[in-house]
Amino acid sequence: MGISTLSVRRGTVAGMTDTHAILAEGLVKRFGETTALDGVDLAVRRGSVLGLLGPNGAGKTTVVRILATLLRPDAGRATIGGHDVVRDAHEARRLIGLTGQYASVDESLTGTENLILIGRLLGLPRAEARQRAAELLAEFRLSDAASKPAKAYSGGMRRRLDLAASLVGRPQVLYLDEPTTGLDPRSRNEMWDIVRELVGGGVTVLLTTQYLEEADLLADEIVVIDHGRVIATGRPDELKGRVGGQILAVRPKLVSDLPIVESVVARVAGATPEVRDGLVTVPASDSALLPAVVRHLDEAEVQIGELALRGASLDEVFLSLTGHTTEKQEVAA
Amino acid sequence: MTAMAMPRQTLTLAWRSLVQIKHNPAELLDLSIQPIMFVALFTYVFGGAISGSTGDYLTFALPGIIVQNALFASVTTGVGLNSDLTKGVFDRLRSLPIARSAPLAGRILADTAKQAWSIALILGLGVVLGFRVDNGVAGVLGAFALLLVFSLAASWIAVLVGLLASEPEKVQIFAFVVIFPLTFTSNAFVPTETMPGWLQAWVDVNPVTILADATRGLLTGTVSASLIGQSLLWAAAIAAVFAPIAIRTFKRKV
């Protein structure tokens, strides 16, 4: 992918010279009786990726909507490149691009028309808007579908068009609100490549996600929020360390083999496994654990029903950070 | 923002609303096939029964059909606005550095163009079927102006409903429940004299009757300054009540 298409205009806008592209202090937002945000602070360094992690209903989207000037905070303040999102909203809007569940392209327009519409609204002359549209559609492998209405696009194509639409104005700050929720693994990987490309081009990214893996792969720093409050902040490896890394899970085909599996896993891992509902789990600190367990179970002639090495799930992050599970989570990873 | 930015953004967004028609056959149907069907069906099915001949009925009913169509068309502003709000297009537009009023202004501008197209289509078809315009180009332009002003005022009601409804279909249901009885309890399609007394009392004060009679006057027969004045007063009253509420609701959402 060509850097030129996705890169930002550097150093042209005053206020982006300080170290932080996004600063938020004490953001509070209430909807009637519900407190969606209860004093959220954020600081995103220029050119970095911040992963905002939390279950549905945690307040992630409310944060994005405030930072995208779509919603006024009841208290606190936020600046984008030094421009206040309430008092100086118009200037802030010049710097941002928004992609998410709520900022959609027009389904009844074609890919080309959608991008031309935005280019024209941003003040590009007709020919330039057309050229920018063609360029972005080519970058995002949408040229073949350029003259089809967006409602005929597949889920992955639709996300790419949404993202392309938010990049027409070469934003310096990009909000990606759950960019891969509901996408198949291949489209998800594509989306991740695109985000990396953008960051390489100097864009500051604020990414919200329910997937720890996504935040882990893309973010320089992760902020975990729950019930409208920041409950943890740190680099991905720091957070993972706190949660406990990966977990090995083994389920024997026969329940009667459970004691053997338990003892083998305990011996190989050097830790006491947890046994629940016929499943034996143990923290997997070493990558050699999985093949070793398989070898030992094979020697003991135990038939394996299920064997998995998985990362700590968001539930486990939450359980360890807050002591409660993500009860509001609706979308399964 | 420069002074020219807002009109240019409004035109761009109006272009967007008009381009949608190309990809949405249902909207083309609403705009064109439906008016044609109404004219043909009313004329040939009811014409003989109501006026004794299709030609006489066409002269009487065509202005009424135009008024009914204009009122239904004014609802499209609300439906489109609601669809933008619920589908997230509005949030995309609001996150851009454009004039806050441009999305609404662009939609109203495009809908006024659609409205003019429908009126021209019905009138043109009417002329083909034997409708005679007595008052020349001035009368036709006057009727256009009056109908566009009135439907622009009525579209504020649609804008408000469009902002409050949870989905576009509900806007359409509202339109059907309100506009259908309102236009049928007027003299748009049937002379008042044939109705029961209690209904006549309502029909005479129904703004649709006043607008239909004012349009009749402009196209055929005697131009009535009083009826045009009353129609404009109604338009002004509707706009005075609904525009501020709609704009306040809009600003709360924006």
Side-chain angles (χ1 to χ4, degrees):
Chain A
M1 201 173 283
I3 292 293
S4 62
T5 311
L6 302 180
S7 66
V8 300
R9 297 159 303 191
R10 277 180 190 276
T12 50
V13 180
M16 290 298 280
T17 47
D18 56 0
T19 53
H20 289 97
I22 305 171
L23 275 174
E25 286 167 21
L27 293 180
V28 173
K29 184 70 196 177
R30 294 182 201 89
F31 297 106
E33 297 286 293
T34 324
T35 302
L37 296 183
D38 194 9
V40 169
D41 299 331
L42 287 177
V44 188
R45 275 177 296 105
R46 216 146 59 94
S48 73
V49 180
L50 181 89
L52 196 57
L53 190 65
N56 279 347
K60 302 188 297 289
T61 295
T62 307
V63 170
V64 171
R65 289 175 63 86
I66 289 173
L67 296 178
T69 76
L70 299 178
L71 207 59
R72 281 164 178 263
D74 295 324
R77 59 190 292 273
T79 57
I80 308 302
H83 298 288
D84 191 285
V85 294
V86 176
R87 280 181 292 109
D88 212 1
H90 195 79
E91 285 305 311
R93 285 180 194 121
R94 289 185 188 282
L95 305 179
I96 62 171
L98 175 62
T99 302
Q101 313 146 284
Y102 300 104
S104 167
V105 295
D106 185 337
E107 288 186 331
S108 49
L109 297 189
T110 65
T112 301
E113 286 163 351
N114 264 300
L115 299 187
I116 289 179
L117 170 68
I118 291 170
R120 295 286 288 152
L121 287 174
L122 293 175
L124 294 183
R126 195 164 291 134
E128 233 174 277
R130 182 165 288 281
Q131 194 199 331
R132 178 77 180 142
E135 200 174 277
L136 281 166
L137 289 166
E139 284 291 350
F140 288 96
R141 295 192 298 103
L142 290 168
S143 297
D144 291 344
S147 51
K148 281 192 194 131
K151 62 181 160 227
Y153 284 24
S154 71
M157 290 163 73
R158 180 59 196 276
R159 291 301 167 90
R160 297 206 298 275
L161 181 61
D162 276 327
L163 186 53
S166 66
L167 296 176
V168 173
R170 300 179 189 272
Q172 309 196 10
V173 176
L174 184 65
Y175 303 123
L176 299 172
D177 195 6
E178 305 209 357
T180 62
T181 299
L183 288 188
D184 59 68
R186 183 167 167 266
S187 306
R188 187 171 295 182
N189 277 318
E190 273 180 5
M191 199 53 114
W192 288 342
D193 286 342
I194 293 168
V195 173
R196 289 193 192 98
E197 187 79 25
L198 286 164
V199 175
V203 178
T204 306
V205 174
L206 190 149
L207 166 94
T208 78
T209 182
Q210 303 186 43
Y211 309 131
L212 189 62
E213 185 196 4
E214 185 163 282
D216 188 10
L217 278 169
L218 297 175
D220 299 305
E221 189 165 357
I222 292 177
V223 169
V224 182
I225 65 169
D226 186 33
H227 295 307
R229 288 172 190 271
V230 174
I231 58 170
T233 306
R235 292 195 314 276
D237 52 344
E238 290 172 352
L239 283 180
K240 267 197 303 184
R242 273 201 252 174
V243 175
Q246 291 197 304
I247 288 169
L248 176 76
V250 190
R251 185 192 300 279
K253 214 163 198 170
L254 305 169
V255 182
S256 55
D257 283 340
L258 216 49
I260 309 172
V261 173
E262 193 181 345
S263 72
V264 164
V265 170
R267 187 154 37 88
V268 178
T272 312
E274 195 180 309
V275 185
R276 198 167 27 161
D277 302 330
L279 190 71
V280 180
T281 54
V282 71
S285 44
D286 186 349
S287 60
L289 182 64
L290 177 70
V293 166
V294 172
R295 210 164 45 238
H296 281 91
L297 288 176
D298 194 39
E299 283 166 11
E301 297 186 347
V302 172
Q303 284 188 295
I304 300 168
E306 182 189 331
L307 179 74
L309 189 64
R310 57 181 170 84
S313 70
L314 186 58
D315 281 325
E316 283 151 344
V317 176
F318 265 74
L319 202 57
S320 74
L321 286 173
T322 67
H324 73 85
T325 53
T326 60
E327 74 270 35
K328 283 178 184 163
Q329 191 163 355
E330 292 158 10
V331 186
Chain B
M1 206 180 337
T2 59
M4 281 310 291
M6 189 271 175
R8 192 175 44 71
Q9 291 156 0
T10 301
L11 280 175
T12 301
L13 286 161
W15 164 81
R16 170 228 169 191
S17 290
L18 294 175
V19 165
Q20 283 179 334
I21 303 171
K22 205 168 70 183
H23 307 292
N24 195 350
E27 200 173 351
L28 192 69
L29 201 79
D30 275 356
L31 280 172
S32 307
I33 314 292
Q34 191 176 301
I36 291 172
M37 246 168 52
F38 269 126
V39 174
L41 290 177
F42 272 85
T43 305
Y44 293 110
V45 176
F46 296 136
I50 295 173
S51 299
S53 85
T54 53
D56 287 349
Y57 184 65
L58 191 63
T59 306
F60 173 77
L62 195 78
I65 295 172
I66 293 176
V67 168
Q68 188 203 35
N69 194 77
L71 287 175
F72 270 117
S74 73
V75 176
T76 56
T77 310
V79 176
L81 193 62
N82 185 274
S83 154
D84 279 358
L85 282 167
T86 49
K87 289 189 177 159
V89 177
F90 222 75
D91 277 349
R92 159 83 65 200
L93 296 177
R94 288 172 55 213
S95 73
L96 298 173
I98 59 171
R100 300 294 85 190
S101 55
L104 188 59
R107 182 159 285 289
I108 290 175
L109 183 65
D111 288 340
T112 304
K114 291 180 197 171
Q115 188 74 263
W117 158 254
S118 285
I119 297 171
L121 187 71
I122 299 177
L123 197 59
L125 180 67
V127 168
V128 170
L129 297 182
F131 183 82
R132 288 288 154 260
V133 177
D134 296 335
N135 297 324
V137 177
V140 171
L141 289 180
F144 260 83
L146 181 65
L147 288 160
L148 290 180
V149 166
F150 195 93
S151 51
L152 198 61
S155 69
W156 284 113
I157 306 177
V159 167
L160 181 61
V161 177
L163 288 168
L164 296 176
S166 56
E167 50 191 276
E169 289 72 21
K170 292 204 173 128
V171 184
Q172 250 143 1
I173 291 168
F174 164 85
F176 194 76
V177 167
V178 172
I179 296 176
F180 223 79
L182 197 67
T183 49
F184 272 83
T185 58
S186 76
N187 74 353
F189 309 117
V190 178
T192 319
E193 304 84 69
T194 59
M195 300 178 196
W198 58 268
L199 189 55
Q200 288 191 17
W202 157 247
V203 169
D204 287 339
V205 295
N206 184 344
V208 178
T209 303
I210 295 164
L211 183 61
D213 277 340
T215 309
R216 282 190 186 106
L218 283 163
L219 293 175
T220 64
T222 327
V223 178
S224 161
S226 158
L227 284 170
I228 294 170
Q230 286 178 55
S231 301
L232 291 174
L233 268 179
W234 265 107
I238 292 169
V241 171
F242 287 97
I245 306 176
I247 288 172
R248 205 168 55 225
T249 312
F250 181 75
K251 279 189 175 157
R252 244 201 337 258
K253 295 231 173 195
V254 174

